[in-house]
Amino acid sequence: TQPDLALPVGTTLDRFILSEQSAFPFATGELSQLLRDIALASKIINREINRAGLIDVTGATGTDNVQGESQQKLDVIANIRFIRALKNGGEVCAIISEEEDDIILTGNPNGKYVVAIDPLDGSSNIDVNVSIGTIFSIYRRVSPVGSVPTLADLLQGGRQQVAAGYVLYGSSTILVFTTGQGVNGFTLDQSLGEYILSHTDIKQPRTGSIFSCNEGNVAEYPDKIQTYLNTCRQRRMTGRYIGSLVADFHRNLIKGGIYLYPSTRKSPGGKLRLLYECFPMAFIAEQAGGKATDGRQAILDITPTDLHQRLVLYVGSPDLIDELLTTI
Ligand code: P6P
């Protein structure tokens, strides 16, 4: 049964989670607790981000992550905070993080869930006070409760996600997530430390006037993508690119638009990661009436083979995605 989404704007996250849980009479509350654990960790990260310039957590650590990308201090802090929150919460038996090579076993073998997470996406924007975000994806484990979690728990495929969401640390901090019952947004009231329902049942506009891609790479894009972008320009669409997936995605979700990260010389297979960027964003997009594709198939239909595999991503308003696919 559909949960009672008539909850008024202003409802707290906890009350909303309880109302969603009530739609699942057999729910035992573990997923609800897991969502609360993620929300708590995001409040801690939010505080660190807001103080970044004051407590010397900007800049790079001097180490690289599994992606070969320079780790920022806040990347590492966010990774530690989320892993600790999920370990202490007890609901999660395994985690895959952008910042860690291998699966992280939480020491909770009875945890029913596994989480794929990009603790801090867009972190090259930190030092210049541009929006960054956290992206998460939640699955029920397929291995027996009590056993050692396996790769299969994390490579189930996008359609097996039980929840997905992001936190955008922007002009305000907003948590947007879905459990398959639509998409809702909660703005953090900093004075209360509470997430408050501010965007009920978010629907992706069918079309839009914004295209979002790194125009510095356009010359490397496949011809058909360049053709599509020329069409956007001829239609006087607006180019907007923040360089932070969560921020670009959220703007397009609210206003309508299309985000494109095609193959480039540096990333011939695409740059964005399937498990903790594309799958969760695709789940949210589809739940809001949008579309997400790699140009050949829906992102959610892709069978994952590697924890950190990358791919091409086109996501946003369904009519714009359809036009792109027609062009391709
Ligand atoms: P580029 C950030 O590093 C990220 O993973 C996404 O958040 C963002 O959309 C993309 O990469 C930006 O990549 O190559 O345009 O800087």
Side-chain angles (χ1 to χ4, degrees):
T1 55
Q2 285 288 338
D4 169 16
L5 280 182
L7 285 173
V9 169
T11 297
T12 64
L13 174 65
D14 279 1
R15 180 163 159 69
F16 181 89
I17 289 174
L18 278 175
S19 76
E20 276 218 315
Q21 180 185 321
S22 65
F24 302 91
F26 305 106
T28 53
E30 279 114 333
L31 180 58
S32 299
Q33 186 52 50
L34 171 45
L35 289 168
R36 287 190 197 94
D37 295 339
I38 289 174
L40 173 63
S42 74
K43 293 179 195 175
I44 295 168
I45 300 309
N46 179 65
R47 184 190 62 195
E48 306 286 329
I49 288 168
N50 291 343
R51 299 190 311 182
L54 304 171
I55 54 175
D56 185 29
V57 290
T58 58
T61 59
T63 58
D64 288 356
N65 63 15
V66 63
Q67 330 284 344
E69 294 165 345
S70 166
Q71 282 185 304
Q72 305 300 301
K73 290 174 187 169
L74 268 177
D75 279 331
V76 175
I77 291 170
N79 189 50
I80 291 167
R81 292 288 192 181
F82 274 104
I83 290 170
R84 187 182 302 164
L86 295 176
K87 278 184 175 178
N88 295 343
E91 312 301 349
V92 172
C93 60
I95 303 165
I96 181 62
S97 165
E98 183 195 42
E99 302 301 329
E100 307 265 351
D101 301 17
D102 299 316
I103 294 176
I104 301 151
L105 299 183
T106 60
N108 303 318
N110 295 323
K112 292 181 184 169
Y113 295 95
V114 298
V115 173
I117 191 163
D118 185 352
L120 207 54
D121 180 72
S123 50
S124 57
N125 285 332
I126 294 170
D127 292 358
V128 293
N129 274 57
V130 172
S131 300
I132 49 183
T134 294
I135 310 171
F136 62 90
S137 168
I138 303 172
Y139 302 83
R140 282 186 76 87
R141 69 186 301 175
V142 292
S143 55
V145 172
S147 69
V148 177
T150 67
L151 207 53
D153 286 315
L154 284 148
L155 297 180
Q156 297 181 49
R159 300 249 178 240
Q160 300 309 311
Q161 295 175 94
V162 294
Y166 59 82
V167 181
L168 175 56
Y169 310 100
S171 49
S172 62
T173 296
I174 186 169
L175 165 65
V176 174
F177 74 89
T178 181
T179 58
Q181 310 294 319
V183 179
N184 293 280
F186 300 80
T187 299
L188 182 61
D189 181 325
Q190 312 268 6
S191 65
L192 300 176
E194 280 277 11
Y195 276 111
I196 305 294
L197 180 62
S198 53
H199 297 67
T200 306
D201 199 19
I202 300 173
K203 290 299 176 203
Q204 170 96 52
R206 287 206 60 81
T207 188
S209 61
I210 294 170
F211 67 94
S212 188
C213 69
N214 183 336
E215 302 244 20
N217 296 335
V218 166
E220 301 171 18
Y221 290 170
D223 291 347
K224 298 281 190 185
I225 301 301
Q226 297 195 39
T227 301
Y228 176 75
L229 291 172
N230 286 333
T231 308
C232 294
R233 295 186 192 96
Q234 285 156 13
R235 282 162 43 185
R236 296 284 182 274
M237 286 175 70
T238 300
R240 284 279 184 278
Y241 192 66
I242 301 166
S244 182
L245 173 61
V246 173
D248 284 316
F249 178 96
H250 184 72
R251 182 210 46 243
N252 291 350
L253 179 67
I254 302 299
K255 292 193 168 184
I258 182 171
Y259 172 93
L260 306 94
Y261 208 105
S263 61
T264 63
R265 193 174 304 131
K266 184 180 175 186
S267 307
K271 173 181 184 183
L272 300 175
R273 276 57 56 123
L274 180 58
L275 258 61
Y276 39 79
E277 290 175 322
C278 298
F279 272 160
M281 291 317 220
F283 187 19
I284 295 164
E286 287 201 3
Q287 281 288 308
K291 286 189 175 183
T293 175
D294 67 351
R296 285 189 295 271
Q297 59 183 315
I299 294 292
L300 292 180
D301 292 334
I302 293 172
T303 301
T305 54
D306 178 82
L307 291 172
H308 299 285
Q309 73 187 79
R310 298 170 184 267
L311 74 165
V312 163
L313 174 67
Y314 308 111
V315 59
S317 294
D319 292 357
L320 297 179
I321 295 290
D322 288 346
E323 288 165 8
L324 172 70
L325 291 173
T326 303
T327 306
I328 288 176

